Amino acid sequence: VRLVRATSVPQRRAMRALTGPRVGAHVMNLDADKYETLVATAALRRNRGVRHAEPNYIRHPHLTPNDPFYRYQWHYPGINLPLAWDITQGSANVIVAVIDTGILPNHPDLAGQLVPGYDFVSNPSTARDGDGIDPDPTDTGNPGALTSSTFHGSHVAGTVAARSDNGEGVAGVAWNVKIMPLRALGQESGTNFDVMQAVRFAAGLSNNSNTLPPQRADIINMSLGSTSASAAEQSLLDQVRSLGVIVVASAGNEASSQPSYPAAYPGVISVAATTINKLRAGYSNFGATIDLAAPGGFVGSDFNGDGLADGVLSTVANDSSFQLNYSYRTLMGTSMAAPHVAGVAALMKSVHPQLTPQQFDNALIQGVITEDLGTPGRDDQFGYGLIDAQKAVITALDLANSAGAPTGPILIGSPTSINFGVFDVTADVVIRNAGSGTLTITSATSTAPWISVTPVTIDGSGLGTYRITVNRSLAVGDGSFSAQARFTSDIPGSSPLAVSAVMQKFTVNPVANAGRHYIVVFHPATATTVAGTSVLPSNGVYNYTIANVGAGTYQIYAGTDSDNDDFLCDGGEACGAFRLLDLPESIVVDGSRSGLDFVSGFPVNLFDLTSAEAGSTHAPARAGIPLPEHIELP
């Protein structure tokens, strides 16, 4: 039987007699010829006399968006999004409701991506917008605070569907789908009642706004939760599921097996978080209620050496100077993991609009939309595994009876770049086939004598885990060195897969020195510093002791004051905070405290490419951390 190629109109009519009605043809994002060819191949494959019937596929480079900060979004290649984008970037007919802190509607990477939403925060003091519920889901933030507002909902929404391939900012998981912003959290918290009203609105059910959306959401993302279960909430989510809405929620960040709701309810997809190395993030909840995992990141590392912390990069703003500057920030958490899954579910819905929550669950249990991590099969760390966007989209195509789009074998590695820094010696990479068909690794080599590659756990095809080791004594001279580990396969005409490695070498032990640091105790309730000290490093560590701190709740900051203006963390100055600079943690002082260790450094600044909100009348205010009036010099 000849290879099936594009058919003529009479041929297509003949094929319809074999295949029956064109179910779902209007949503394929393919032209008629391509669709009919796929349907024809499906019909021919059912003929016992046909060994192979396949379209004449066009090979091309895997789709990569031109957004300038996409290179920092390691979390997308880690779940095979570029391979999924070769098939679909999403449909504008699909809507994802983001129930969160609201949205920044004029952010350049969110504008044009939204459908009408609603603000369900009923307490005016919590809402901080002057009223109770209203049709405006804008995130008001907390302008004038010491650090910028988190803009949590916008960060989540950007991961789902930031404007992509537009030469600006970051990319989203599902470029073309629409976001329904529903504000149910004010100042990072909200009531169960408000959240439930937002769920009802998203699903097209009656709610206390007395309004309904023109089109209900296909998917609901809730990056929120607590340990309290609600029978009423479970009943509502059961009803929403029965309407065909897929509900995704974050598993929680308490590093606990205690269930977090709504994620732990039956019928809700509970998402744990992984790091850049595809390990369970230390903060991520685990246990019997976890369904799957997605990238949540960890901002305390820069494993791939791209100069940015290994968190999830997405859309936010900076309002600490009373002026709204649209920007981008890396955050970490299961809140960041959940929208990856919601976005992939939106891609699945884009090619198979009739996809049901039960079909999604079945595919998850069968392991056809995830990469199995940890113990084979389901486990309490990763559930059924790490979401795989390409596998998920192909599964949805198959469910839509479209015959799918086999890619042939594709060799990928994770991670594709490693930063060994000054001290690290080894790192593991996972080499696998992300496509269809088979391939075999024929060699694993390196491009420099100081880097070696050895198998750790591989199968008969040479796929699996390899260990990359650096030997600094074999590198000539001092400074920074880069090389590659290369994996060659038997795919005809393919180039070797390259895993980049960077290391630093010095002839003497390096002494980390970012200059004299001021470590201060900050009282957030009054926005004042109450005590502090100044120290120089010893063997790369700043050992500090701060005495005479009264009982209370504080935050600890550290940094340099290179411009001698008595403010820390100005532009170009080193800065750090306990536990993380992006998310300073408050500590309760009721006696001596120890072990308050954290990292200070020179953060990568993505704010310089953003613009202020038009029409802002707020006077600028200093965003740095003020030094106390008196500080000890050791």
Side-chain angles (χ1 to χ4, degrees), residues 403-587:
T407 60
I410 300 172
L411 183 62
I412 67 168
S414 180
T416 56
S417 63
I418 303 170
N419 180 12
F420 288 93
V422 178
F423 299 110
D424 291 343
V425 175
T426 64
D428 290 348
V429 297
V430 177
I431 306 299
R432 69 187 189 91
N433 178 8
S436 58
T438 62
L439 64 84
T440 298
I441 300 297
T442 57
S443 67
T445 60
S446 62
T447 61
W450 53 265
I451 180 173
S452 61
V453 185
T454 55
V456 178
T457 306
I458 61 175
D459 60 19
S461 298
L463 300 173
T465 301
Y466 287 80
R467 181 154 297 158
I468 298 178
T469 304
V470 297
N471 185 341
R472 289 177 173 81
S473 66
L474 298 179
V476 179
D478 292 347
S480 180
F481 297 82
S482 61
Q484 293 179 343
R486 291 185 175 177
F487 299 87
T488 303
S489 73
D490 60 355
I491 302 175
S494 64
S495 300
L497 169 69
V499 176
S500 300
V502 177
M503 73 163 188
Q504 288 76 43
K505 176 197 171 186
F506 299 91
T507 55
V508 296
N509 288 333
V511 178
N513 188 341
R516 178 177 290 277
H517 264 53
Y518 299 91
I519 298 94
V520 300
V521 178
F522 181 80
H523 189 231
T526 59
T528 58
T529 49
V530 299
T533 187
S534 171
V535 295
L536 290 171
S538 174
N539 294 323
V541 176
Y542 292 83
N543 294 298
Y544 71 95
T545 301
I546 302 176
N548 302 318
V549 178
T553 300
Y554 303 99
Q555 295 171 338
I556 301 177
Y557 290 85
T560 56
D561 184 24
S562 57
D563 57 3
N564 295 312
D565 66 350
D566 294 332
F567 281 81
L568 306 182
C569 298
D570 290 332
E573 295 179 346
C575 188
F578 178 83
R579 178 169 320 250
L580 297 166
L581 183 59
D582 278 342
L583 297 169
E585 180 177 317
S586 295
I587 62 169

Side-chain angles (χ1 to χ4, degrees), residues 141-230:
N142 187 20
L146 172 67
T147 58
S148 175
S149 304
T150 304
F151 294 108
H152 189 275
S154 294
H155 196 281
V156 169
T159 297
V160 174
R163 289 181 62 194
S164 306
D165 206 34
N166 62 339
E168 183 171 15
V170 296
V173 172
W175 305 358
N176 299 324
V177 309
K178 297 299 183 181
I179 297 294
M180 179 190 293
L182 297 175
R183 190 169 184 244
L185 306 180
Q187 296 307 297
E188 314 304 329
S189 65
T191 67
N192 191 46
F193 177 81
D194 291 348
V195 171
M196 290 172 63
Q197 295 305 307
V199 170
R200 297 186 66 86
F201 182 93
L205 300 172
S206 61
N207 58 84
N208 63 346
S209 74
N210 294 317
T211 61
L212 296 176
Q215 177 183 336
R216 69 161 174 80
D218 300 281
I219 297 135
I220 295 174
N221 185 94
M222 291 187 283
S223 289
L224 51 86
S226 74
T227 57
S228 301
S230 162

Side-chain angles (χ1 to χ4, degrees), residues 48-59:
R48 293 183 180 181
V50 176
R51 176 174 295 179
H52 299 293
E54 298 176 344
N56 186 21
Y57 295 112
I58 299 172
R59 301 300 188 198

Side-chain angles (χ1 to χ4, degrees), residues 228-248:
S228 301
S230 162
E233 188 175 44
Q234 171 71 86
S235 177
L236 171 61
L237 292 174
D238 288 344
Q239 182 182 3
V240 169
R241 179 183 170 92
S242 71
L243 297 174
V245 180
I246 297 173
V247 182
V248 180

